[in-house]
Amino acid sequence: ASCGWLIQQACPSLEERLRLSVKLGMAIGISELGLGDSDDIYPGLYTQATLDELESLASMSNEGIGISAAASTDIDLSTRIDVEAASQGRQVLGGLADGHRDLLERQLHILLKALLNSTSKA
C-alpha cells in the first residue's frame, strides 16, 4: 500500500518532465501463499486468482488505488491507512495515519529527488 501511495504521488511530478502522460490503474491485494519451490506448480496456480482480482480492481481504479476485500481487513494495512468506500462497492486507499504519512512524505521527497535528477540528465 505504501509503494502504491508513493507511485501515485510521484507520477504528477514525473509527468511534468516526460513527453508522455502517466495514467495508472493500481490495486492492493494480499495472498498467504509462499513462493514454493521450482518443482511445485501449485503456488503459481493458486496465486492466479489473486492476480485476476487485482487486474480487475486496477482496471476500475480511476478513483484511487483499489483494495481487495482481503487486504482491507489486514491489521497492518488498516492501522496505517484508511480504507474508503468507492463506487460499485469497491474500496480504495484513503488517508494515512500521521506517523506513517510523515515517513512516506520523507520517502517521497527522496524518491522524487532521485527520479527528477535522472530525468533531467536524460
Side-chain angles (χ1 to χ4, degrees):
S2 297
C3 289
W5 184 89
L6 285 168
I7 292 167
Q8 182 184 48
Q9 300 303 309
C11 281
S13 295
L14 288 174
E15 195 172 44
E16 292 173 5
R17 301 262 182 131
L18 301 174
R19 295 180 196 169
L20 302 172
S21 89
V22 180
K23 303 289 182 212
L24 300 173
M26 292 190 285
I28 299 163
I30 193 167
S31 174
E32 297 296 325
L33 295 174
L35 294 177
D37 60 41
S38 62
D39 297 328
D40 187 5
I41 65 166
Y42 292 106
L45 292 173
Y46 293 132
T47 304
Q48 189 61 50
T50 302
L51 294 174
D52 292 343
E53 178 185 28
L54 290 174
E55 188 277 329
S56 176
L57 286 169
S59 69
M60 299 185 307
S61 68
N62 51 355
E63 296 179 43
I65 300 172
I67 300 177
S68 72
S72 69
T73 61
D74 181 72
I75 193 73
D76 289 328
L77 187 138
S78 63
T79 57
R80 293 175 179 88
I81 299 171
D82 292 333
V83 176
E84 297 177 353
S87 64
Q88 301 173 353
R90 292 179 43 251
Q91 296 176 315
V92 294
L93 186 117
L96 306 173
D98 289 341
H100 197 60
R101 175 175 282 285
D102 292 342
L103 173 66
L104 289 181
E105 292 281 349
R106 286 193 303 273
Q107 290 177 349
L108 178 61
H109 177 72
I110 293 167
L111 177 66
L112 285 175
K113 184 176 178 182
L115 289 172
L116 295 177
N117 284 341
S118 69
T119 60
S120 65
K121 294 176 185 176

